[in-house]
């Protein structure tokens, strides 16, 4: 039986194809797939905006602008202040926690704030339209939100303890590359 020869690759065509992809990535900064996903998300947001503004659009527009101004002028400075306070508190320790340690406070605070934002009428006990719909006593929501917040921070503290357990009892601090690649045995990047 005769052996079939494999077709030889067309190197010129392959090089031209790779040059087009490199040129696109250099001009746009990302892959074409990312551009397609971004355009699809813009189309979805545009459709949702058209459907939303079909109703009482002046009040919706006023709410949207007010929310943007409130977020940018009030909440962002509060986020920054809280983030810097946590970072400074962690840096003052005898063995400072790396900057990524702030995330162990940031994530549960974000989730707790998101829950408060979604359920604020129930947490702040404004029962008018909500009590008949939920069929629960209005006094339970504040305690449950506080319990969920405490559980989120406790879970985050436990996870930080598990992640930093090997560092708690060592006499010398880990090298900076060990924080990035904890499984590496030496400082060279070429290790398997």
């Amino acid at each position: 039986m005769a052996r079939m020869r494999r077709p030889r690759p067309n190197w010129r065509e392959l090089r031209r194809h790779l040059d087009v992809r490199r040129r696109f990535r250099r001009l746009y900064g990302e892959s074409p797939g990312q551009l397609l996903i971004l355009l699809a998300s813009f189309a979805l947001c545009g459709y949702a905006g058209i459907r939303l503004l079909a109703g009482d659009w002046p009040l919706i527009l006023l709410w949207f602008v007010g929310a943007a101004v409130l977020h940018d002028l009030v909440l962002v400075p509060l986020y920054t202040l809280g983030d810097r306070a946590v970072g400074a508190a962690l840096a003052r320790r005898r063995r400072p926690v790396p900057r990524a340690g702030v995330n162990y406070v940031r994530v549960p605070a974000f989730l707790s704030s998101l829950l408060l934002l979604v359920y604020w009428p129930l947490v702040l006990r404004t029962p008018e339209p909500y009590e008949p719909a939920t069929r629960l006593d209005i006094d339970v929501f504040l305690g449950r939100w506080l319990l969920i917040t405490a559980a989120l921070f406790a879970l985050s503290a436990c996870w930080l303890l598990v992640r930093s357990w090997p560092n708690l009892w060592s006499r010398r601090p880990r090298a900076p590359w060990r924080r990035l690649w904890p499984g590496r045995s030496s400082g060279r990047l070429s290790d398997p």
Side-chain angles (χ1 to χ4, degrees):
M1 188 170 205
R3 272 180 66 186
M4 293 183 69
R5 291 181 58 188
R6 293 176 91 186
R8 297 184 73 183
N10 186 348
W11 295 110
R12 185 173 293 152
E13 185 67 27
L14 182 64
R15 189 175 303 131
R16 186 181 67 77
H17 175 71
L18 290 176
D19 285 343
V20 168
R21 289 188 69 184
R22 284 187 193 128
R23 205 173 303 135
F24 181 83
R25 187 176 279 278
R26 188 175 62 234
L27 290 174
Y28 177 64
E30 286 294 330
S31 69
Q34 194 267 352
L35 178 63
L36 288 175
I37 291 171
L38 186 66
L39 290 175
S41 69
F42 281 151
L44 181 66
C45 288
Y47 172 73
I50 289 170
R51 294 290 304 253
L52 180 69
L53 293 176
D56 193 12
W57 68 269
L59 287 177
I60 293 171
L61 196 60
L62 180 67
W63 177 85
F64 187 73
V65 169
V69 168
L70 175 74
H71 179 266
D72 290 347
L73 295 181
V74 176
L75 295 179
V76 169
L78 286 176
Y79 300 154
T80 306
L81 199 71
D83 191 47
R84 289 191 180 176
V86 169
L90 291 176
R92 274 191 236 133
R93 292 183 49 200
R94 184 171 53 97
R95 290 180 185 219
V97 176
R99 183 72 185 147
V102 175
N103 290 336
Y104 291 99
V105 175
R106 202 182 275 166
V107 171
F110 169 74
L111 292 175
S112 174
S113 301
L114 186 65
L115 281 173
L116 180 62
L117 181 67
V118 171
Y119 296 108
W120 70 270
L122 297 171
V123 172
L124 298 180
R125 300 178 180 161
T126 54
E128 291 83 28
Y130 300 102
E131 197 166 11
T134 60
R135 296 184 184 158
L136 290 173
D137 185 25
I138 201 69
D139 295 329
V140 300
F141 290 100
L142 177 63
R144 289 180 181 179
W145 175 74
L146 289 173
L147 188 63
I148 290 172
T149 299
L152 286 170
F153 277 98
L155 185 65
S156 181
C158 289
W159 186 249
L160 175 62
L161 185 66
V162 166
R163 293 290 309 255
S164 62
W165 186 261
N167 294 339
L168 289 177
W169 308 111
S170 66
R171 294 217 178 254
R172 60 186 173 95
R174 296 175 82 175
W177 56 267
R178 293 287 297 220
R179 285 193 297 264
L180 298 175
W181 296 286
R184 305 284 181 175
S185 58
S186 72
R188 296 185 312 230
L189 295 176
S190 60
D191 284 350

